[in-house]
Amino acid sequence: MSVSTAAAAQTICAPLPVLGRDVTVPLVTGGEVGYAALDYAASAPALQRVWDDVAAYAPYYGSVHRGAGYLSQLSTDLFENARRTVAEFLDCRADDQLVFTRSTTDSLNLLAAALPADCQVFVFETEHHASLLPWKGARVTYLDAPRTPRQAVATLQSALAGRDPHGPALVCVTGASNVTGELWPVRELAAAAHAHGARIVLDAAQLAPHHPVSVQDLDVDWVAFSGHKLYAPFGSGVLAGRADWLRAAEPYLAGGGASRKVTRRQDGGVDVEWHESAARHEAGSPNVIGAYSIASACKALTEAGFDTLVGREQYLVEKVRTGLAEVPEVRVLSLFGDDAPRVGVISFVVDGWNSSHFAAALSAEYGIGVRDGLFCAHPLVRTLLGSDPQSQGECGAPEAAPGEKSLNAIRVSFGAGTPDEHVDRFVTAVRELVTEGATWTYRTEDGRCVPAV
């Protein structure tokens, strides 16, 4: 750690309180230990602030938009105020729409359903499946994995230069990789998209919990993210941005709330007039608690200050990377190189270990929760691990198709609720497992590596 980073770390506040910080888990070697939750990239724990806000509101829960009673009116106000709070958090334009969805995946599928006819979509193979797969109704161009941010921009510019200039086009890009944690050049990619008459949607699932996201500053047309990665795990997500494509599209779900007027025709059918507001794509009873929890998390992160949160997280990132670099058997995965800026998401492999076996030992012997596998980003991880086949015979080795290598990696991820001790324990555990081996035996059960009993 550099002197400047060490000095800065002394002024960085303690992590934001999260649920589960006092949970203990049993170890196979005996006794219990405080659980080290280091899988934030999958689902971050709820902020205590979010839980307290939801608990305070719960007795007043009522139907939204369609009730005359006091609790319904209160819930409606809370729901719409949440929409405004999240729009402010994202620095949306005045005429943008913000739709509450179930998740990032749901948000991007909603946008995919709203694409104009004959739309061309450009997406890097490095994307999470949530942003790689929804575009099946469009003409899709998959772009090869770039090895530098500059190459990413050049690759997109070249692809867009060869597109049909008369039809609509959309670029989909991540803000921070869910595999490497590396930040992507979103502002530059947006400029390239707009220069060629295309729009751009930002998958901010891994960016929004770690960095401020400004729709206007980044100049993106839409942004999507999930509450459960933003310390608000109540099954809600957000799609925010340009209103025109959303207003012109058929409702994502047909039903109550999306319709403004429904009448019978003389021929026996029905005519429907759909809302043009966000309600057009929010049919049914909305997840008011999910929306409120996202707004609560947005307020908490804003009040804590992203400068402070980013500074502390970078201190933890440097601590983890320094610790892993001291173990020669560990290789950290990266597209853009060691100097690339990144959030608290780090994936790696360990020579002589299947990743599932290593992750199982971290959990069973040290009480550390990480993730192993391909992280719903199979093309990217296969690109990064192309030269690292892992034995089929090892505990938990994933099955491979005929002629393919068996590949998986380990991912450690953290954020605003991570105490220093969890990171220190993780670095120590990696070193001990590599140098001394596991103290327990493990077996494969349903494709997973588990302690043998």
Side-chain angles (χ1 to χ4, degrees):
M1 182 169 60
S2 66
V3 173
S4 59
T5 304
Q10 296 177 7
T11 66
I12 294 171
C13 70
L16 292 178
V18 294
L19 294 183
R21 60 190 181 275
D22 299 322
V23 168
T24 60
V25 294
L27 302 179
V28 292
T29 51
E32 293 187 340
V33 67
Y35 183 62
L38 296 178
D39 193 16
Y40 276 46
S43 282
L47 288 176
Q48 185 68 54
R49 155 79 172 270
V50 170
W51 186 260
D52 291 345
D53 283 350
V54 169
Y57 161 65
Y60 301 93
Y61 172 79
S63 61
V64 177
H65 293 149
R66 295 188 280 283
Y70 177 82
L71 297 191
S72 291
Q73 294 297 307
L74 186 149
S75 294
T76 297
D77 287 345
L78 181 143
F79 184 70
E80 293 303 332
N81 283 333
R83 196 189 306 276
R84 287 187 284 272
T85 295
V86 179
E88 182 178 345
F89 177 77
L90 295 173
D91 190 27
C92 288
R93 296 165 290 257
D95 56 351
D96 282 342
Q97 272 192 5
L98 190 146
V99 181
F100 284 116
T101 65
R102 294 182 301 168
S103 59
T104 308
T105 302
D106 197 36
S107 296
L108 293 171
N109 274 271
L110 163 57
L111 184 60
L115 294 181
D118 204 33
C119 188
Q120 302 172 80
V121 175
F122 297 84
V123 56
F124 286 94
E125 67 172 349
T126 46
E127 293 290 311
H128 186 281
H129 294 172
S131 46
L132 188 72
L133 302 180
W135 319 106
K136 50 186 176 293
R139 291 183 289 156
V140 185
T141 298
Y142 295 104
L143 307 176
D144 292 339
R147 303 313 297 227
T148 66
R150 179 177 295 181
Q151 187 182 40
V153 177
T155 297
L156 179 61
Q157 288 175 328
S158 177
L160 290 172
R163 81 173 187 91
D164 176 0
H166 302 295
L170 178 71
V171 175
C172 181
V173 67
T174 188
S177 171
N178 77 303
V179 176
T180 67
E182 292 164 317
L183 299 178
W184 277 62
V186 177
R187 188 180 292 103
E188 293 81 359
L189 291 168
H194 294 152
H196 289 86
R199 296 189 179 190
I200 186 168
V201 56
L202 170 63
D203 175 352
Q206 300 296 341
L207 183 63
H210 304 277
H211 280 263
V213 174
S214 168
V215 168
Q216 297 191 68
D217 182 54
L218 295 173
D219 197 21
V220 295
D221 297 282
W222 292 277
V223 60
F225 71 89
S226 295
H228 73 98
K229 299 185 192 299
L230 195 81
Y231 313 100
F234 292 93
S236 196
V238 168
L239 176 67
R242 306 288 182 190
D244 53 350
W245 287 8
L246 297 175
R247 286 176 180 160
E250 288 294 306
Y252 185 47
L253 297 173
S259 56
R260 179 160 46 192
K261 182 180 179 181
V262 180
T263 57
R264 287 292 302 273
R265 297 196 305 264
Q266 288 185 350
D267 64 5
V270 295
D271 289 323
V272 184
E273 181 180 336
W274 303 106
H275 281 293
E276 292 190 354
S277 66
R280 185 184 190 90
H281 299 291
E282 293 178 345
S285 294
N287 181 0
V288 59
I289 287 181
Y292 183 45
S293 69
I294 290 179
S296 173
C298 289
K299 289 179 180 178
L301 293 173
T302 300
E303 291 169 6
F306 267 108
D307 286 346
T308 298
L309 295 174
V310 170
R312 183 174 187 279
E313 183 174 305
Q314 290 309 304
Y315 160 69
L316 295 180
V317 167
E318 197 164 333
K319 180 179 285 196
V320 171
R321 286 175 57 81
T322 299
L324 294 179
E326 294 172 351
V327 184
E329 292 83 357
V330 171
R331 180 169 78 88
V332 173
L333 305 184
S334 175
L335 268 178
F336 299 155
D338 289 343
D339 295 332
R342 66 197 70 223
V343 300
V345 179
I346 299 169
S347 296
F348 62 98
V349 291
V350 184
D351 289 346
W353 285 80
N354 175 267
S355 295
S356 180
H357 188 187
F358 201 88
L362 285 173
S363 174
E365 300 179 29
Y366 295 90
I368 298 171
V370 297
R371 202 166 192 85
D372 67 276
L374 299 175
F375 317 126
C376 293
H378 294 187
L380 171 56
V381 181
R382 289 183 183 280
T383 294
L384 297 174
L385 293 181
S387 61
D388 289 330
Q390 299 185 26
S391 170
Q392 287 269 27
E394 292 188 54
C395 179
E399 294 183 0
E404 290 189 353
K405 300 171 182 177
S406 174
L407 302 173
N408 62 347
I410 306 150
R411 183 180 71 192
V412 56
S413 53
F414 40 87
T418 305
D420 286 31
E421 187 276 328
H422 289 181
V423 166
D424 293 336
R425 194 194 323 169
F426 166 76
V427 171
T428 298
V430 170
R431 185 181 302 112
E432 290 181 356
L433 286 173
V434 171
T435 58
E436 303 172 18
T439 61
W440 206 259
T441 57
Y442 296 82
R443 61 185 176 85
T444 301
E445 181 179 294
D446 296 329
R448 298 291 305 167
C449 188
V450 298
V453 293

